[in-house]
């Protein structure tokens, strides 16, 4: 993206779309260019024809082409909820550098630590993406490929280029990315594989808290649980998700009657209390591996993220007590 000209009297800007931004929807492009502007305002600009491409009106689904000329009207950009002020703390920078599992000129994969958000907001100054934008200043198109809950650890992908982001999103849509999780569930799970196909629906509670429930009118969701080890009152499972819905593993395991241990939202209070005595102070959910064929090289990438010491120690104590 490059700026062609600015009309100083009217404040109208004209931007030229480059190859990295080609293929992106105009509404998503505007959300990035006009940071801090509410979505409702951006859609109103499109609806009224104030944003134009090649001098013509377009709708939100329009996908930009290389060399398109985009007219951006003057819009007041409010300060973001969490301003990017100052440098990434040294401790967080070191933690994320040590968490790197794979990096090339298009992709970063890291073992995201539990407790680190993937992006800033709600009082969080720096998430993973804000930190890496400072740590990799020459990667101009750095974006999250997917997300992990703040408490969930493990494999997280970041794209360094818009073209890589689009290609990886296509892989995710086609089910060409194999993502597997490790989870410690309450109770004794049956041996073997247990598929769960239960539609999930998100809802917002009055206090703003987001909850997900099994509901017929929700989005189709599938998780396959495979029992790896059984301990007194707990089971270590591998979860293979065919869909990537919000809180999917946590809700599907609770639906089975075996919630993820350490889960304060969907879990069992008594079971969580017992595991806290064994040192479990967080959600026991870890994205432990991913496999995909890199679309730009056809090379197969297989990445594995080791469990953190605190989770391994919990398993050792369970095995000792068993």
């Amino acid at each position: 993206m490059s700026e062609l000209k600015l009309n100083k009297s009217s404040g109208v800007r004209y931007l030229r779309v480059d190859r990295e931004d080609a293929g992106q929807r105009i509404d998503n492009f505007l959300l990035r260019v006009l940071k801090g502007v509410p979505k409702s305002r951006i859609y109103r600009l499109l609806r009224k024809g104030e944003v134009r491409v090649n001098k013509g009106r377009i709708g939100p689904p329009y996908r930009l082409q290389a060399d398109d000329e985009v007219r951006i009207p003057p819009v007041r950009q409010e300060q973001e909820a969490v301003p990017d002020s100052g440098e990434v703390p040294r401790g967080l920078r070191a933690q994320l550098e040590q968490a790197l599992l794979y990096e090339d000129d298009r992709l970063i994969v890291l073992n995201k630590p539990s407790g680190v958000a993937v992006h800033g907001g709600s009082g969080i100054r720096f998430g993973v993406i804000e930190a890496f934008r400072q740590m990799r200043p020459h990667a101009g198109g750095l974006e999250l490929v997917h997300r992990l809950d703040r408490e969930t650890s493990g494999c997280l992908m970041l794209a360094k280029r818009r073209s890589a982001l689009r290609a990886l999103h296509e892989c995710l849509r086609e089910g060409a990315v194999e993502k597997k999780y490790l989870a410690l569930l309450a109770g004794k799970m049956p041996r073997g594989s247990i598929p769960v196909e239960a539609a999930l629906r998100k809802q917002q509670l009055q206090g703003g808290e987001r909850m997900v429930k099994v509901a017929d009118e929700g989005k189709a969701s599938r998780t396959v649980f495979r029992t790896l080890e059984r301990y007194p009152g707990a089971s270590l499972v591998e979860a293979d998700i065919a869909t990537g819905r919000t809180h999917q593993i946590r809700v599907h395991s609770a639906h089975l009657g075996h919630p993820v241990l350490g889960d304060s939202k969907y879990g069992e209070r008594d079971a969580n209390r017992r595991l806290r005595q064994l040192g479990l102070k967080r959600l026991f959910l870890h994205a432990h591996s991913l496999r995909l064929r890199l679309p730009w090289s056809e090379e197969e990438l297989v990445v594995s993220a080791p469990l953190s010491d605190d989770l391994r120690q919990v398993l050792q104590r369970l095995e000792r007590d068993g």
Side-chain angles (χ1 to χ4, degrees):
M1 174 182 63
S2 58
E3 186 155 336
L4 292 175
K5 59 183 176 179
L6 168 65
N7 187 320
K8 293 183 179 179
S9 60
S10 66
V12 173
R13 287 190 291 160
Y14 294 87
L15 305 177
R16 177 79 73 194
V17 176
D18 58 26
R19 290 182 181 179
E20 287 295 309
D21 288 314
Q24 188 176 21
R25 282 175 53 126
I26 184 65
D27 51 355
N28 292 329
F29 176 80
L30 293 172
L31 285 167
R32 180 166 60 90
V33 171
L34 300 174
K35 287 184 189 267
V37 175
K39 277 188 179 181
S40 58
R41 177 74 172 113
I42 283 174
Y43 286 110
R44 192 157 64 246
L45 292 172
L46 289 167
R47 194 167 55 249
K48 291 183 175 181
E50 294 183 64
V51 172
R52 299 201 170 207
V53 176
N54 302 327
K55 300 182 180 180
R57 296 174 70 121
I58 37 78
Y62 176 81
R63 292 192 179 273
L64 294 166
Q65 306 297 315
D67 295 324
D68 274 354
E69 182 181 299
V70 183
R71 176 191 186 273
I72 308 288
V75 181
R76 182 183 175 190
Q77 293 178 241
E78 301 291 341
Q79 190 178 31
E80 293 183 68
V82 180
D84 181 10
S85 56
E87 293 289 320
V88 178
R90 287 185 182 180
L92 177 60
R93 184 185 291 264
Q95 188 180 25
L96 293 177
E97 289 286 6
Q98 291 169 8
L100 282 172
L101 298 171
Y102 174 84
E103 183 171 7
D104 62 21
D105 61 346
R106 290 178 174 85
L107 175 65
I108 292 172
V109 184
L110 72 146
N111 184 2
K112 186 191 81 67
S114 175
V116 177
V118 294
H119 57 77
S122 301
I124 300 170
R125 279 182 64 200
F126 292 101
V128 170
I129 189 62
E130 291 85 8
F132 269 99
R133 282 172 180 160
Q134 279 196 27
M135 293 159 61
R136 302 291 187 273
H138 300 298
L142 200 61
E143 295 286 352
L144 293 164
V145 177
H146 60 112
R147 297 171 187 242
L148 291 177
D149 293 338
R150 184 177 180 181
E151 287 188 81
T152 303
S153 55
C155 294
L156 178 70
M157 294 188 288
L158 283 71
K160 288 181 169 181
R161 302 182 185 180
R162 288 275 163 188
S163 54
L165 181 68
R166 290 195 301 273
L168 291 166
H169 279 171
E170 183 67 22
C171 289
L172 289 168
R173 281 194 296 271
E174 293 178 351
V177 181
E178 181 185 89
K179 294 190 291 183
K180 293 186 176 181
Y181 292 71
L182 292 176
L184 189 66
L185 307 187
K188 183 175 285 189
M189 283 279 285
R191 297 192 185 279
S193 295
I194 303 172
V196 178
E197 295 189 9
L200 300 177
R201 181 171 61 87
K202 286 190 287 188
Q203 65 178 36
Q204 198 94 359
L205 302 184
Q206 281 189 345
E209 184 183 5
R210 183 175 56 180
M211 293 287 290
V212 178
K213 291 188 174 183
V214 171
D216 291 339
E217 66 275 18
K219 293 184 177 180
S221 308
R222 176 180 169 85
T223 308
V224 178
F225 295 97
R226 184 169 66 89
T227 303
L228 302 177
E229 295 285 347
R230 298 198 296 183
Y231 308 99
S235 301
L236 180 68
V237 302
E238 182 180 70
D240 188 345
I241 57 172
T243 52
R245 310 300 183 201
T246 301
H247 299 171
Q248 178 174 320
I249 294 173
R250 298 164 66 183
V251 178
H252 274 177
S253 62
H255 182 63
L256 280 177
H258 299 277
V260 179
L261 286 161
D263 191 343
S264 59
K265 190 183 291 278
Y266 305 105
E268 292 180 356
R269 184 177 299 177
D270 291 342
N272 288 344
R273 185 183 300 117
R274 186 177 75 85
L275 264 292
R276 273 198 299 272
Q277 295 172 355
L278 294 178
L280 182 61
K281 299 178 181 178
R282 51 158 286 200
L283 179 74
F284 200 124
L285 183 58
H286 178 72
H288 84 97
S289 71
L290 64 85
R291 179 194 299 265
L292 73 153
R293 193 166 295 279
L294 296 174
W296 47 85
S297 69
E298 290 302 309
E299 174 190 355
E300 186 179 55
L301 176 66
V302 180
V303 182
S304 179
L307 277 176
S308 57
D309 290 343
D310 59 330
L311 296 187
R312 286 192 295 103
Q313 287 169 7
V314 168
L315 294 180
Q316 289 168 2
R317 289 168 187 142
L318 280 169
E319 189 170 2
R320 179 196 64 201
D321 291 351

